[in-house]
Amino acid sequence: RIDMQGPWRLDVTFSHAVGDIDLFVWDEANNRPLTQNGSNVGATSGTDNERLDWQGPAVIRLFGYENASAPYTLNLGPR
């Protein structure tokens, strides 16, 4: 849960070779990723690390692509 007001950036640092991690802004009311203009709000690349720019309080969920796992580091700060 991120309780930061205003714009923020979340970086998830990991090695894609160990496991692919994706992250989403979570819609708790519907128990699924938040959608905007028909797309999930999040970061889902096929490379090392993910970055998400958002604003205001939010719930974030991380998933291993196809149940992958890897150690990761989170870094949250204002934009």
Side-chain angles (χ1 to χ4, degrees), residues 1-77:
R1 185 171 301 276
I2 297 174
D3 292 323
M4 185 179 292
Q5 299 297 320
W8 48 262
R9 172 172 287 159
L10 177 63
D11 287 304
V12 181
T13 306
F14 63 95
S15 171
H16 185 266
V18 175
D20 184 13
I21 297 174
D22 297 327
L23 68 129
F24 300 96
V25 175
W26 201 251
D27 178 349
E28 288 186 294
N30 295 302
N31 196 33
R32 64 179 186 204
L34 181 68
T35 58
Q36 192 173 56
N37 299 322
S39 297
N40 292 336
V41 176
T44 60
S45 73
T47 61
D48 289 355
N49 310 324
E50 299 291 358
R51 171 173 280 174
L52 174 64
D53 290 326
W54 196 247
Q55 64 181 28
V59 173
I60 302 298
R61 295 218 32 204
L62 279 73
F63 292 92
Y65 179 73
E66 294 186 351
N67 296 316
S69 64
Y72 60 88
T73 301
L74 298 174
N75 186 18
L76 173 66

